[in-house]
C-alpha cells in the first residue's frame, strides 16, 4: 500500500465574514478578498510542506485542481507539480531500503 500526501492548499487568511456575506467561498467570492502578499507566503509554505513529505517518507505527493475557491489555491496542478518536481526525487530513483531503514 502506498501512502500519499495530499494538500488542498486553502486560503488560510480568508476573512470568514466574507464567506458568510457571499453565501459561499466556492465560486462567487470576489477576488478583492485575496491578499497577494499573504497568498505568496501561503504558496511558499504549502510547497515547502509538500516537499517535506518526501523527507517524511510518503510514497507520493498528490496535486489537485481547485480554482475560484478559497478551499484550494491550486488552479493548475501541472504548475504545482512542476515546481515540486524540481525539488523532489522521482520515485523510481529513491532507495526503498534506505527509506525502510530510516523508519
Amino acid at each position: 500500500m502506498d501512502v500519499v500526501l495530499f494538500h488542498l492548499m486553502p486560503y488560510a487568511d480568508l476573512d470568514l465574514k466574507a464567506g458568510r456575506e457571499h453565501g459561499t467561498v466556492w465560486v462567487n467570492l470576489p477576488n478583492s478578498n485575496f491578499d497577494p502578499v499573504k497568498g505568496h507566503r501561503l504558496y511558499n509554505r504549502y510547497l515547502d510542506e509538500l516537499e517535506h513529505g518526501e523527507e517524511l517518507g510518503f510514497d507520493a505527493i498528490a496535486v489537485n485542481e481547485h480554482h475560484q475557491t478559497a478551499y484550494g489555491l491550486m488552479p493548475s496542478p501541472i504548475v504545482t507539480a512542476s515546481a515540486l518536481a524540481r525539488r523532489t526525487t522521482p520515485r523510481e530513483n529513491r532507495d526503498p531500503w534506505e527509506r525502510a531503514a530510516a523508519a
Side-chain angles (χ1 to χ4, degrees):
M1 175 175 67
D2 288 345
V3 179
V4 178
L5 175 60
F6 177 79
H7 200 316
L8 283 173
M9 297 177 67
Y11 184 58
D13 292 309
L14 177 67
D15 176 8
L16 297 179
K17 181 180 175 187
R20 287 190 294 275
E21 289 174 357
H22 295 280
T24 182
V25 296
W26 190 251
V27 174
N28 56 355
L29 187 68
N31 287 340
S32 59
N33 290 285
F34 180 79
D35 180 332
V37 173
K38 292 178 180 178
H40 179 263
R41 181 181 49 82
L42 283 171
Y43 262 97
N44 282 312
R45 173 185 159 189
Y46 293 154
L47 287 171
D48 289 345
E49 289 174 0
L50 288 165
E51 291 167 10
H52 188 59
E54 180 179 23
E55 296 171 31
L56 294 174
F58 283 90
D59 296 303
I61 298 170
V63 295
N64 62 5
E65 181 175 358
H66 284 97
H67 39 90
Q68 293 181 294
T69 171
Y71 295 125
L73 294 175
M74 196 180 307
S76 174
I78 193 67
V79 173
T80 305
S82 297
L84 292 168
R86 292 191 65 203
R87 298 181 49 123
T88 57
T89 307
R91 185 176 182 171
E92 62 272 8
N93 293 342
R94 286 190 250 154
D95 183 351
W97 297 107
E98 182 179 292
R99 194 172 69 222

